[in-house]
Amino acid sequence: MATCNVYNMDKKSHLTSGCVVICKTNLGKEFEGEVICYDEETKALVIKLNPKKKLLCDVVVLNLNMVTDQNFNLVSFPKNDSHLLLDIDREKVEKRLRSAKERVGIGVTAEAQLFFDFLTKTFPCRWSGTNIIALEDICISPPYQLENFSSETSSMDYVKTVVVHKNRQQVSKKVIKKYLKNI
């Protein structure tokens, strides 16, 4: 399969959807696939790996600043325009976006976000402003201490127990680090 190098300033326009490329990053990872899109400004190249498979494929976003000229080759141009756009399940994308937005607190500290992330590993949680709602009936308000839990259900005791256990583990790790540092 003959290759031609097109990664230079005057030929980047050849990176269009459907092109097949082979590139190797500065970290040594090699990718071969079909170009889905290319953003000139950010040098971001999105390629579909395993382009021969119709339904299943991996998609990779590459920073072409991490690929040298000699490690980037255009293998072929698109044969036709009929297969260039992937079928996207918009409902699935919107559901994932809503889910991602619910996991990020707005106007909260980094510690609050870490606390939320810890809780979501054990309980279903969501943000409601700066309050964390766990198990749909426990409200944890800033500064997210045990005194800031409010609920009228018995499940609050279980959530508090998990948080206390986590806090003990953190204190133990700090003590061990301090001890090892002094040795």
Side-chain angles (χ1 to χ4, degrees):
M1 186 179 284
T3 61
C4 60
N5 189 316
V6 295
Y7 183 64
N8 59 41
M9 293 304 278
D10 55 7
K11 294 185 179 177
K12 283 184 187 173
S13 61
H14 290 286
L15 290 175
T16 60
S17 296
C19 291
V20 176
V21 296
I22 298 175
C23 57
K24 186 175 182 180
T25 68
N26 295 345
L27 301 174
K29 287 198 158 207
E30 189 167 312
F31 298 95
E32 177 178 2
E34 181 180 317
V35 174
I36 296 174
C37 63
Y38 172 65
D39 180 37
E40 177 77 33
E41 186 175 327
T42 61
K43 308 289 188 272
L45 176 68
V46 181
I47 62 173
K48 176 172 66 168
L49 306 178
N50 306 325
K52 292 172 180 64
K53 293 183 180 179
K54 295 289 183 195
L55 299 175
L56 296 175
C57 65
D58 292 326
V59 176
V60 177
V61 179
L62 296 173
N63 179 351
L64 288 187
N65 289 324
M66 297 295 292
V67 178
T68 60
D69 288 353
Q70 57 268 29
N71 288 332
F72 186 90
N73 295 297
L74 177 66
V75 176
S76 66
F77 290 100
K79 293 172 181 63
N80 60 32
D81 292 339
S82 63
H83 71 289
L84 298 182
L85 296 178
L86 298 174
D87 290 331
I88 296 175
D89 184 351
R90 288 217 181 273
E91 208 172 287
K92 190 174 183 179
V93 170
E94 288 172 7
K95 183 178 177 183
R96 285 185 179 178
L97 182 60
R98 276 192 309 275
S99 175
K101 284 181 179 178
E102 288 175 355
R103 291 189 310 262
V104 177
I106 300 189
V108 299
T109 64
E111 291 82 14
Q113 185 64 51
L114 288 172
F115 181 67
F116 177 86
D117 294 342
F118 164 77
L119 285 176
T120 58
K121 291 178 184 176
T122 310
F123 311 106
C125 297
R126 63 180 172 80
W127 286 102
S128 176
T130 57
N131 295 331
I132 298 171
I133 307 298
L135 298 173
E136 289 301 322
D137 62 353
I138 301 169
C139 180
I140 309 167
S141 54
Y144 312 105
Q145 301 299 319
L146 294 178
E147 313 75 68
N148 306 110
F149 283 57
S150 62
S151 177
E152 295 180 13
T153 63
S154 60
S155 58
M156 184 172 76
D157 293 333
Y158 179 63
V159 174
K160 282 185 174 183
T161 304
V162 171
V163 171
V164 167
H165 181 69
K166 174 198 177 266
N167 290 341
R168 283 187 191 147
Q169 284 180 332
Q170 285 180 327
V171 168
S172 296
K173 285 179 184 178
K174 286 179 184 177
V175 169
I176 290 170
K177 282 182 183 179
K178 188 175 183 180
Y179 175 76
L180 293 175
K181 203 176 201 181
N182 293 330
I183 293 180

